[in-house]
Coordinates of all heavy atoms in Angstrom, one line a residue:
I1 N 0.8 -1.2 0.0 CA 0.0 0.0 0.0 C 0.9 1.2 0.0 O 2.0 1.3 0.6 CB -1.0 0.0 1.2 CG1 -1.9 1.2 1.2 CG2 -0.2 -0.1 2.5 CD1 -3.0 1.1 2.2
H2 N 0.5 2.3 -0.7 CA 1.2 3.5 -0.8 C 1.3 4.2 0.6 O 0.3 4.2 1.3 CB 0.6 4.5 -1.8 CG 1.5 5.6 -2.2 ND1 1.7 6.7 -1.4 CD2 2.1 5.8 -3.4 CE1 2.5 7.5 -2.0 NE2 2.8 7.0 -3.2
P3 N 2.4 4.7 1.0 CA 2.6 5.3 2.4 C 1.6 6.4 2.6 O 1.1 6.5 3.7 CB 4.0 5.8 2.4 CG 4.7 4.9 1.4 CD 3.8 4.6 0.3
D4 N 1.2 7.2 1.6 CA 0.3 8.3 1.8 C -1.1 7.7 2.0 O -1.9 8.2 2.8 CB 0.3 9.2 0.6 CG 1.6 10.0 0.4 OD1 2.3 10.0 1.4 OD2 1.8 10.5 -0.7
D5 N -1.5 6.6 1.3 CA -2.8 6.0 1.6 C -2.8 5.4 3.0 O -3.8 5.5 3.7 CB -3.0 4.9 0.5 CG -3.4 5.5 -0.9 OD1 -4.0 6.6 -0.9 OD2 -3.1 4.8 -1.9
A6 N -1.7 4.8 3.3 CA -1.6 4.2 4.7 C -1.7 5.2 5.8 O -2.4 5.0 6.8 CB -0.3 3.4 4.8
A7 N -1.1 6.3 5.6 CA -1.1 7.4 6.6 C -2.6 7.9 6.8 O -3.0 8.1 7.9 CB -0.2 8.5 6.2
A8 N -3.3 8.0 5.7 CA -4.7 8.5 5.8 C -5.6 7.5 6.5 O -6.6 7.8 7.1 CB -5.2 8.7 4.4
L9 N -5.1 6.2 6.5 CA -5.9 5.2 7.2 C -5.3 4.8 8.6 O -5.7 3.8 9.2 CB -6.0 3.9 6.3 CG -6.7 4.1 5.0 CD1 -6.5 2.9 4.1 CD2 -8.2 4.3 5.3
A10 N -4.2 5.5 9.0 CA -3.5 5.3 10.3 C -2.9 3.8 10.3 O -3.0 3.1 11.3 CB -4.5 5.5 11.5
I11 N -2.4 3.4 9.1 CA -1.8 2.1 9.0 C -0.3 2.3 9.0 O 0.2 3.1 8.2 CB -2.3 1.4 7.7 CG1 -3.8 1.1 7.8 CG2 -1.5 0.1 7.5 CD1 -4.4 0.6 6.6
A12 N 0.4 1.5 9.8 CA 1.9 1.6 9.8 C 2.4 0.3 9.2 O 1.7 -0.7 9.0 CB 2.4 1.7 11.3
D13 N 3.7 0.4 8.7 CA 4.3 -0.8 8.1 C 4.2 -2.0 9.0 O 4.6 -1.9 10.2 CB 5.7 -0.5 7.7 CG 6.3 -1.5 6.8 OD1 5.8 -1.7 5.7 OD2 7.4 -2.1 7.2
G14 N 3.7 -3.1 8.6 CA 3.7 -4.3 9.4 C 2.3 -4.5 10.1 O 2.1 -5.6 10.7
D15 N 1.5 -3.5 10.1 CA 0.2 -3.6 10.8 C -0.7 -4.7 10.1 O -0.5 -4.9 8.9 CB -0.6 -2.3 10.7 CG -0.1 -1.3 11.8 OD1 0.7 -1.7 12.7 OD2 -0.6 -0.1 11.7
R16 N -1.5 -5.3 10.8 CA -2.5 -6.2 10.2 C -3.6 -5.3 9.7 O -4.1 -4.4 10.3 CB -3.1 -7.1 11.3 CG -2.1 -8.2 11.7 CD -2.6 -9.1 12.9 NE -3.6 -10.0 12.4 CZ -4.9 -9.9 12.6 NH1 -5.3 -8.9 13.3 NH2 -5.7 -10.9 12.1
V17 N -4.0 -5.6 8.4 CA -5.1 -4.8 7.8 C -6.1 -5.8 7.2 O -5.8 -7.0 6.9 CB -4.5 -4.0 6.6 CG1 -3.6 -2.9 7.1 CG2 -3.8 -4.9 5.5
Q18 N -7.3 -5.3 7.1 CA -8.4 -6.0 6.5 C -8.7 -5.3 5.1 O -8.6 -4.1 5.0 CB -9.7 -6.0 7.3 CG -9.7 -6.9 8.5 CD -11.0 -6.9 9.2 OE1 -11.6 -5.9 9.4 NE2 -11.6 -8.1 9.5
L19 N -9.0 -6.1 4.2 CA -9.5 -5.6 2.9 C -10.7 -6.5 2.4 O -10.7 -7.7 2.7 CB -8.4 -5.6 1.8 CG -7.7 -6.9 1.4 CD1 -7.1 -6.7 0.0 CD2 -6.6 -7.3 2.4
G20 N -11.6 -5.8 1.7 CA -12.8 -6.6 1.3 C -13.6 -5.9 0.3 O -13.4 -4.7 -0.1
N21 N -14.7 -6.6 -0.1 CA -15.7 -6.0 -1.0 C -17.0 -6.9 -0.8 O -17.1 -7.6 0.2 CB -15.2 -6.0 -2.4 CG -14.7 -7.4 -2.9 OD1 -15.2 -8.4 -2.4 ND2 -13.8 -7.3 -3.9
T22 N -17.9 -6.8 -1.7 CA -19.2 -7.5 -1.5 C -19.0 -9.0 -1.6 O -19.9 -9.8 -1.2 CB -20.2 -7.1 -2.6 OG1 -19.6 -7.3 -3.9 CG2 -20.5 -5.6 -2.5
R23 N -17.8 -9.5 -2.0 CA -17.6 -11.0 -2.1 C -17.0 -11.5 -0.8 O -17.0 -12.8 -0.7 CB -16.6 -11.2 -3.3 CG -17.1 -10.7 -4.6 CD -16.1 -11.0 -5.8 NE -16.6 -10.3 -7.0 CZ -16.0 -9.2 -7.4 NH1 -15.0 -8.6 -6.8 NH2 -16.5 -8.6 -8.5
G24 N -16.4 -10.7 0.0 CA -15.9 -11.2 1.3 C -14.8 -10.3 1.8 O -14.6 -9.1 1.3
E25 N -14.1 -10.7 2.8 CA -13.0 -9.9 3.4 C -11.9 -10.9 3.9 O -12.2 -12.0 4.3 CB -13.5 -9.0 4.5 CG -14.1 -9.7 5.7 CD -15.5 -10.2 5.4 OE1 -16.3 -9.6 4.7 OE2 -15.9 -11.3 6.0
I26 N -10.7 -10.4 3.9 CA -9.6 -11.2 4.4 C -8.6 -10.3 5.1 O -8.7 -9.0 5.1 CB -8.8 -11.9 3.2 CG1 -8.2 -10.9 2.2 CG2 -9.7 -12.9 2.5 CD1 -7.4 -11.5 1.2
T27 N -7.7 -10.9 5.9 CA -6.7 -10.1 6.7 C -5.3 -10.5 6.3 O -5.0 -11.7 6.1 CB -7.0 -10.4 8.2 OG1 -8.4 -10.0 8.5 CG2 -6.1 -9.6 9.1
M28 N -4.4 -9.6 6.3 CA -3.0 -9.8 6.1 C -2.2 -8.6 6.7 O -2.8 -7.7 7.3 CB -2.7 -10.0 4.6 CG -2.9 -8.8 3.7 SD -2.6 -9.2 2.0 CE -4.1 -10.0 1.5
H29 N -0.9 -8.6 6.5 CA -0.1 -7.5 7.0 C 0.2 -6.5 5.9 O 0.3 -6.8 4.7 CB 1.2 -8.1 7.6 CG 1.1 -8.9 8.8 ND1 0.7 -10.2 8.8 CD2 1.2 -8.6 10.1 CE1 0.6 -10.7 10.0 NE2 0.9 -9.7 10.8
A30 N 0.4 -5.3 6.3 CA 0.6 -4.2 5.4 C 2.1 -4.1 5.2 O 3.0 -4.2 6.1 CB 0.1 -2.9 5.9
R31 N 2.5 -3.8 3.9 CA 3.9 -3.4 3.6 C 3.8 -2.1 2.8 O 3.2 -2.0 1.7 CB 4.6 -4.5 2.7 CG 5.9 -4.0 2.2 CD 6.8 -5.2 1.9 NE 6.3 -6.1 0.9 CZ 6.6 -6.1 -0.4 NH1 7.4 -5.1 -0.9 NH2 6.1 -6.9 -1.3
L32 N 4.4 -1.0 3.4 CA 4.3 0.3 2.8 C 5.4 0.4 1.7 O 6.6 0.1 1.9 CB 4.5 1.4 3.8 CG 3.2 1.8 4.6 CD1 2.5 0.6 5.2 CD2 3.6 2.8 5.7
D33 N 4.9 0.9 0.5 CA 5.9 1.1 -0.6 C 5.2 2.1 -1.5 O 4.1 2.0 -1.9 CB 6.1 -0.2 -1.3 CG 7.2 -0.2 -2.3 OD1 7.3 0.7 -3.1 OD2 8.1 -1.1 -2.3
A34 N 6.0 3.1 -2.0 CA 5.6 4.1 -2.8 C 5.7 3.8 -4.3 O 5.7 4.7 -5.2 CB 6.3 5.4 -2.5
G35 N 5.8 2.5 -4.6 CA 6.1 2.1 -6.0 C 4.8 1.9 -6.8 O 4.9 1.2 -7.9
Q36 N 3.7 2.4 -6.4 CA 2.5 2.4 -7.3 C 1.7 3.7 -7.1 O 2.0 4.5 -6.2 CB 1.6 1.2 -6.9 CG 0.9 1.3 -5.6 CD 1.7 0.6 -4.4 OE1 2.9 0.4 -4.6 NE2 1.0 0.4 -3.3
R37 N 0.8 3.9 -8.0 CA 0.0 5.1 -7.9 C -0.9 5.0 -6.6 O -1.3 3.9 -6.2 CB -0.9 5.3 -9.1 CG -0.2 5.4 -10.4 CD 0.5 6.7 -10.6 NE 1.3 6.8 -11.8 CZ 2.2 7.7 -12.1 NH1 2.4 8.7 -11.3 NH2 2.9 7.7 -13.2
R38 N -1.2 6.2 -6.1 CA -2.2 6.2 -4.9 C -3.5 5.5 -5.3 O -3.9 5.7 -6.5 CB -2.4 7.6 -4.4 CG -1.2 8.1 -3.6 CD -1.6 9.3 -2.7 NE -2.5 8.9 -1.7 CZ -3.0 9.7 -0.8 NH1 -2.7 11.0 -0.8 NH2 -3.9 9.2 0.1
G39 N -4.1 4.9 -4.4 CA -5.4 4.2 -4.7 C -5.2 2.8 -5.2 O -6.2 2.1 -5.5
V40 N -4.0 2.3 -5.4 CA -3.7 1.0 -5.9 C -3.0 0.2 -4.8 O -2.1 0.6 -4.2 CB -2.7 1.0 -7.2 CG1 -2.4 -0.4 -7.6 CG2 -3.4 1.9 -8.3
V41 N -3.5 -1.0 -4.6 CA -2.9 -1.9 -3.6 C -2.6 -3.2 -4.3 O -3.3 -3.7 -5.3 CB -3.8 -2.2 -2.4 CG1 -3.9 -0.9 -1.6 CG2 -5.2 -2.7 -2.8
I42 N -1.5 -3.9 -3.9 CA -1.0 -5.1 -4.6 C -0.9 -6.2 -3.5 O -0.4 -6.0 -2.4 CB 0.4 -4.8 -5.2 CG1 0.4 -3.6 -6.1 CG2 0.9 -6.1 -5.9 CD1 -0.4 -3.7 -7.4
H43 N -1.3 -7.4 -3.9 CA -1.0 -8.6 -3.1 C -0.3 -9.6 -4.0 O -0.8 -9.9 -5.1 CB -2.2 -9.3 -2.6 CG -2.0 -10.6 -2.0 ND1 -1.2 -10.7 -0.8 CD2 -2.2 -11.9 -2.4 CE1 -1.1 -12.0 -0.5 NE2 -1.7 -12.7 -1.5
E44 N 0.9 -10.0 -3.6 CA 1.7 -11.0 -4.4 C 1.4 -12.4 -3.9 O 1.6 -12.6 -2.7 CB 3.2 -10.6 -4.4 CG 3.5 -9.3 -5.0 CD 5.0 -8.9 -5.0 OE1 5.7 -9.3 -4.0 OE2 5.5 -8.3 -5.9
G45 N 1.1 -13.3 -4.8 CA 0.8 -14.6 -4.4 C 1.1 -15.6 -5.5 O 1.8 -15.3 -6.4
L46 N 0.5 -16.8 -5.4 CA -0.6 -17.2 -4.6 C -0.2 -18.0 -3.3 O 0.5 -19.0 -3.4 CB -1.6 -18.1 -5.4 CG -2.5 -17.4 -6.4 CD1 -3.0 -18.5 -7.3 CD2 -3.6 -16.7 -5.7

């Protein structure tokens, strides 16, 4: 997640975060990185 987006949500690097939509929600840890445009979040998997 972009650091500026994280700051607006009071999320620090390594914090547990929830993300979801109408299909469900899951939990993982945040990694702050300014390597994408604001409003974009990335999960590397699977």
